[in-house]
Amino acid sequence: MDKVLILVIDGCAPDYLSEAAAPQIHRLARRYGFLKRVQCALPSVTNVNHACILSGEWPERTRIVGNYLYNPATGEEGFLEERGYMQAPTILQRYRQAGGRTALLTVKGKVLGVYGEGADIGFTLQDPDLELVRRYHLSPPPTIQSVESSGWIVEAACRCIEIDHPELVYCTTNDRVFHHHAPGEPEATEQIAAIDRWIARIHEIDPERQIYITADHGMNRKTTILDLQRMADRAGLSIFCLKPLKDRYIENHLYQEGGMVYVYLKKPEERAAFLDFIRQLPQVEAVQTAAEAAASYHLPAGQIGDYVLYAAPDCAFGELESGEILHTDASRTHGSRYEREIPLAAIHPAAGPECYQYHLDIVRNLVL
């Protein structure tokens, strides 16, 4: 059974993981593996892509299509934060069934809440197990939104490997810093540098362990936020706009802004009027029926509304307190087709670089 660490740096566009910021990761990848760019799943949001990485499956199999839920039959909506939605078996479950010990360490509590089944050790900075804090000789946890939070959770993964020796460790950080700081800015560089130091330490204490460093999605600057729901309401259309990026961490995206939206038509007879309405919006780059989107991006057609809309490169769909369009210099976000490109650094990988085109190929190539 392979010993494995999968580290998911939340929101890490490739330029964040530069050699200047992460010299140890680059050195180890060159010597023992590779570093390349791969792609994530759509929508490029956290829940969707953790499901894919953990299972090696696309959303059509995992049935996770966003951070937020909507039931068109009842009108109920809410955040996806607990177990019961993930439909594909995870590598945590498979390792445990094969007799291996597993650990899931995360900054955000929702990742453990949704994907924690199969983890012998579950640890989150948001609600830390104080016994594990003591066992791993960790300093008091920083705040979730701090620059230090990501380095702290990777340090916890290092201590976990050193003390408890789980065969499989899955660790993920927080993307708050990348929502506010571009590659090369001091805060972003500091976060990556801390991760880099702990990866070097993990390789030192367990030199044969496979290490995969990737991201759930990238991150880009957006200059135009479009409140599609407000605009449709004013136009007299009866629709519901489900933004798959929407989550509780409002500090990360002040307007819940993301680059895709699922549209549910409450009145099918308005289909032609809706399409005419969308064609007038330059901020909408493309529109697909649910069936077309499912075929293009491995999505479950029955869970993504009637239409899927894709924002232009510098635009996002959001929720505005007033008005319908906001021009801003303060938004860095994801969710669109333009945040699919992410890094993959592999140390002692199970296969050659040509076998990794997507982050979910990490699990697809593992040998239990």
Side-chain angles (χ1 to χ4, degrees), residues 220-226 257-260 281-285 310-318 325-328 331 333-339:
N220 276 313
R221 182 168 175 258
K222 308 294 180 180
T223 58
T224 302
I225 311 300
L226 184 73
E257 70 271 30
M260 278 177 62
L281 301 177
Q283 300 87 356
V284 179
E285 182 176 70
Y310 307 89
D314 59 348
C315 298
F317 304 105
I325 297 178
L326 174 69
H327 299 287
T328 177
S331 176
T333 191
H334 51 98
S336 81
R337 296 183 290 191
Y338 297 99
E339 289 78 50

Side-chain angles (χ1 to χ4, degrees), residues 12 15-16 21 38 49 85-86 100 105 114 120 134 164 167 171 216 262 273 284 320 347 364:
C12 187
D15 287 347
Y16 284 110
V38 297
N49 283 282
Y85 295 99
M86 175 68 167
L105 302 97
V114 177
D120 295 300
R134 291 189 291 269
D164 288 329
E167 281 76 16
C171 179
D216 51 349
Y262 305 140
V284 179
L320 304 177
I347 302 164
R364 288 187 170 183

Side-chain angles (χ1 to χ4, degrees), residues 155-358:
E155 177 185 0
C158 178
R159 304 298 187 197
C160 177
I161 290 169
E162 188 173 24
I163 294 169
D164 288 329
H165 315 292
E167 281 76 16
L168 176 70
V169 177
Y170 188 88
C171 179
T172 180
T173 67
N174 185 18
D175 61 357
R176 193 269 179 187
V177 168
F178 300 155
H179 271 288
H180 295 273
H181 300 283
E185 292 187 9
E187 294 85 351
T189 300
E190 179 183 344
Q191 175 169 302
I192 293 295
I195 293 170
D196 188 60
R197 289 192 295 271
W198 287 111
I199 289 297
R201 175 59 181 158
I202 289 168
H203 179 262
E204 181 183 342
I205 64 177
D206 197 353
E208 300 306 315
R209 181 176 290 267
Q210 295 179 29
I211 300 175
Y212 301 92
I213 302 157
T214 190
D216 51 349
H217 55 76
M219 191 76 67
N220 276 313
R221 182 168 175 258
K222 308 294 180 180
T223 58
T224 302
I225 311 300
L226 184 73
D227 193 324
L228 187 67
Q229 185 71 63
R230 191 187 295 269
M231 296 179 76
D233 291 346
R234 181 179 57 80
L237 295 169
S238 298
I239 68 172
F240 180 85
C241 296
L242 173 58
K243 292 168 287 298
L245 175 139
K246 184 173 179 175
D247 71 16
R248 291 192 189 278
Y249 298 94
I250 192 69
E251 301 91 343
N252 291 355
H253 19 79
L254 297 177
Y255 311 105
Q256 299 287 13
E257 70 271 30
M260 278 177 62
V261 65
Y262 305 140
V263 175
Y264 291 80
L265 299 181
K266 296 182 179 180
K267 295 180 179 180
E269 63 271 21
E270 293 183 349
R271 188 176 304 272
F274 168 73
L275 292 173
D276 287 341
F277 164 73
I278 291 301
R279 292 188 187 105
Q280 300 173 35
L281 301 177
Q283 300 87 356
V284 179
E285 182 176 70
V287 57
Q288 290 183 310
T289 65
E292 290 169 338
S296 296
Y297 300 111
H298 306 282
L299 294 163
Q303 292 180 239
I304 55 175
D306 297 292
Y307 288 96
V308 179
L309 275 55
Y310 307 89
D314 59 348
C315 298
F317 304 105
E319 298 176 359
L320 304 177
E321 291 185 3
S322 62
E324 298 174 353
I325 297 178
L326 174 69
H327 299 287
T328 177
D329 292 326
S331 176
R332 292 182 57 78
T333 191
H334 51 98
S336 81
R337 296 183 290 191
Y338 297 99
E339 289 78 50
R340 291 195 74 187
E341 191 172 68
I342 54 173
L344 172 58
I347 302 164
H348 300 308
E354 70 280 359
C355 295
Y356 300 86
Q357 303 301 318
Y358 303 96

Side-chain angles (χ1 to χ4, degrees), residues 91-105:
I91 192 64
L92 295 165
Q93 294 166 309
R94 289 166 54 196
Y95 256 70
R96 178 188 269 183
Q97 290 167 1
R101 197 165 190 221
T102 63
L104 172 57
L105 302 97

Side-chain angles (χ1 to χ4, degrees), residues 97-160:
Q97 290 167 1
R101 197 165 190 221
T102 63
L104 172 57
L105 302 97
T106 172
V107 171
K108 298 176 183 177
K110 72 172 186 178
V111 178
L112 184 61
V114 177
Y115 304 109
E117 186 176 350
D120 295 300
I121 301 168
F123 187 68
T124 171
L125 184 151
Q126 186 172 4
D127 185 21
D129 181 328
L130 296 182
E131 183 177 337
L132 285 178
V133 171
R134 291 189 291 269
R135 178 173 175 79
Y136 295 156
H137 311 294
L138 297 168
S139 60
T143 62
I144 291 177
Q145 305 292 8
S146 66
V147 174
E148 295 79 17
S149 65
S150 291
W152 191 91
I153 202 67
V154 182
E155 177 185 0
C158 178
R159 304 298 187 197
C160 177

